[in-house]
Amino acid sequence: MKTSMLATVICASALLLPVVASASDDMQAVQGSVVFAQNCHACHSEDSSKNTFGPSLTGVVGRKAGSLPRFAYSEALRASGITWNEDKLRLWVQDNEKLVPGTRMRHVSITDKAEQDYLIAYLKTL
Ligand code: HEC
């Protein structure tokens, strides 16, 4: 009896999980757009395909750091050898000057793990 109930619970959660996961990805991206508006938007344009004070962040997840042709990056970022995956973006928003000493981007410090998750979910949509 106990085993079969457990099996039912496991089956039910296996069925529900994909639905819950995709809904929460969207929710995270929405939350992330708020974190972005508060901390990043001043330098990274709302039209994410444009370089403004900071480089365009369209397609930044998976991109090589400092690789856009029409942006005057710091030598430090261009030479960093970083590819922007989730881990690197997490370190970057946590303390960009620690990850890349000499970067031209003003120090940001998003240390809250949930805010980092939201931000990365949002960056993936750009
Ligand atoms: C004060 C302006 C400013 C703010 C605020 C800012 N950035 Fe930046 N960002 C820059 C500049 C300038 C660069 C280029 C840095 C360099 O060349 O060293 C940059 C670079 C980046 C890069 C690397 C892009 C690439 O093409 O390699 C990412 C990713 C990034 N910023 C994300 C963010 C996020 C996320 C936030 C908010 C948490 C943020 N930035 C806040 C100015 C800013």
Side-chain angles (χ1 to χ4, degrees), residues 24-45:
S24 79
D25 276 0
D26 288 351
M27 283 309 294
Q28 292 207 340
V30 171
Q31 306 250 45
S33 70
V34 176
V35 179
F36 188 87
Q38 287 167 349
N39 298 283
C40 322
H41 170 244
C43 305
H44 295 283
S45 162

Side-chain angles (χ1 to χ4, degrees), residues 43-44 48-82 84 89 92 100-105:
C43 305
H44 295 283
S48 62
S49 69
K50 290 211 172 85
N51 295 328
T52 50
F53 188 73
S56 158
L57 295 181
T58 300
V60 71
V61 182
R63 190 164 88 196
K64 221 172 145 291
S67 63
L68 290 183
R70 280 180 304 282
F71 186 82
Y73 290 102
S74 64
E75 188 51 41
L77 190 61
R78 271 194 279 125
S80 67
I82 289 172
W84 293 120
L89 284 167
W92 179 252
V100 182
T103 176
R104 282 208 303 119
M105 180 166 130

